[in-house]
Amino acid sequence: AQRERTEPQQVFLQRRASLGAFQIAPYPNHVPNSIPAAAAETRASAPAITDAHWRTLSYFNIYRLISALVFWALAWRFAGVIDLGVEGPGLYMAVCAAYAAASVLFAVGIVWRKPQFQWQITVHVLVDIICILGLMHTSGGVESGLGLMLLVSLAAAGLISRGRYAFLYAALATIAVLGEDVWRFLRL
């Protein structure tokens, strides 16, 4: 007759001989009194934020400042020729000024490296989405072509951000552009 093979069962409760009390036996890969082992391995495998990350973020910020100033200069110099800000020239100039001011404020945060890197990228992308959407709205909507500027911001943020944040930024930009288009449709 064949004997059944039985796997040794893992013991979850062990008896301490000296104290007479029960304690929970550790699971495999158990790290006592800290975060779970899987989370610890994930954090350990995540790349550290280096000076290259901050330098890339500063280049991204310089691009933001230059683009805001170029949009302002184009609308100011070629007011009747180019259709930038045709539906609200005052609002267009205010958005350009706010965009440039935000990039100067972001430069301070980048130099001090406060708040954390991922928070800064998230705020930068949200400001990009809001300001580019404002420029797009005052210039005639999706037909103006300014929505393509979001691709540059999203691509740069996707390159320097970690994890699934790039998908979040793309989703927020998509919802914002669709919302602006629906707003324009309902207003007509």
Side-chain angles (χ1 to χ4, degrees):
Q2 290 184 346
R3 294 175 78 184
E4 284 186 32
R5 275 194 177 171
T6 59
E7 298 283 328
Q9 294 182 354
Q10 187 174 10
V11 177
F12 292 110
L13 295 176
Q14 295 177 342
R15 182 167 174 80
R16 281 187 156 170
S18 62
L19 297 176
F22 290 96
Q23 71 178 14
I24 298 176
Y27 292 102
N29 299 329
H30 178 71
V31 179
N33 298 329
S34 74
I35 57 176
E41 291 172 9
T42 303
R43 285 192 181 159
S45 66
I49 302 300
T50 62
D51 286 339
H53 287 90
W54 289 103
R55 191 171 40 253
T56 306
L57 188 61
S58 67
Y59 292 150
F60 183 34
N61 194 46
I62 291 169
Y63 157 77
R64 180 180 298 109
L65 177 63
I66 290 172
S67 64
L69 294 176
V70 164
F71 281 131
W72 178 82
L74 286 174
W76 177 73
R77 178 69 174 100
F78 302 105
V81 181
I82 300 177
D83 290 339
L84 293 176
V86 292
E87 294 186 10
L91 182 60
Y92 181 88
M93 292 297 198
V95 170
C96 285
Y99 201 28
S103 67
V104 170
L105 183 65
F106 292 157
V108 173
I110 292 170
V111 169
W112 287 350
R113 296 186 180 192
K114 299 274 183 198
Q116 294 176 347
F117 184 77
Q118 195 61 50
W119 280 103
Q120 283 201 29
I121 295 174
T122 302
V123 171
H124 290 206
V125 171
L126 289 177
V127 167
D128 284 342
I129 291 171
I130 292 168
C131 288
I132 292 173
L133 197 70
L135 296 175
M136 184 176 76
H137 178 73
T138 58
S139 298
V142 177
E143 293 84 16
S144 68
L146 288 176
L148 293 175
M149 292 296 295
L150 284 173
L151 293 178
V152 176
S153 296
L154 294 175
L159 288 173
I160 60 177
S161 67
R162 293 196 280 174
R164 294 177 273 192
Y165 286 103
F167 294 119
L168 171 69
Y169 305 147
L172 290 175
T174 302
I175 290 169
V177 170
L178 289 174
E180 194 279 332
D181 203 35
V182 168
W183 170 263
R184 185 169 295 281
F185 176 75
L186 292 177
R187 234 181 61 196
L188 294 177

